[in-house]
């Protein structure tokens, strides 16, 4: 998804797609989706998922913490605010 979109729109496309997937996929599946992306989009994917899970769960952090436990070590900094 979003691969054939012009680069100036890719980030917004990815955010919208992730926003929709959060309501239909498990955190494991969401992590797999992010892992399938090229490195330049992976952090946008992870950040978007964190944002949308918090919205979906009305500010409860259990699922965000679970998602953060699954992501690659190099992206853990995106979860720092959640885990503190």
């Amino acid at each position: 998804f979003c691969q054939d979109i012009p680069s100036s729109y890719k980030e917004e496309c990815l955010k919208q797609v992730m926003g929709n997937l959060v309501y239909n996929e498990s955190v494991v599946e969401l992590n797999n989706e992010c892992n399938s992306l090229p490195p330049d989009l992976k952090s946008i994917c992870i950040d978007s998922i964190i944002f949308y899970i918090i919205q979906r769960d009305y500010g409860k952090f259990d699922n965000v913490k679970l998602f953060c436990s699954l992501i690659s070590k190099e992206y853990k900094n995106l979860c720092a605010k959640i885990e503190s």
Side-chain angles (χ1 to χ4, degrees):
F1 48 81
C2 301
Q3 296 300 329
D4 297 325
I5 302 291
S7 59
S8 58
Y9 297 103
K10 267 189 187 177
E11 184 173 334
E12 194 57 39
C13 174
L14 184 60
K15 288 178 182 178
Q16 294 301 316
V17 169
M18 290 299 108
N20 289 325
L21 290 179
V22 158
Y23 292 92
N24 299 310
E25 293 190 10
S26 72
V27 292
V28 172
E29 292 168 323
L30 293 168
N31 184 52
N32 291 339
E33 292 287 351
C34 288
N35 284 335
S36 71
L37 296 172
D40 62 321
L41 296 176
K42 206 174 280 193
S43 64
I44 296 166
C45 179
I46 291 168
D47 201 42
S48 298
I49 288 173
I50 291 168
F51 174 80
Y52 285 113
I53 289 175
I54 291 170
Q55 278 195 324
R56 180 195 71 188
D57 294 351
Y58 303 105
K60 295 178 184 171
F61 295 102
D62 293 345
N63 284 317
V64 173
K65 288 179 180 180
L66 178 57
F67 176 72
C68 287
S69 74
L70 299 171
I71 62 174
S72 303
K73 189 177 184 178
E74 64 266 27
Y75 298 99
K76 295 281 186 187
N77 64 312
L78 297 171
C79 297
K81 291 181 222 168
I82 303 302
E83 295 175 342
S84 58

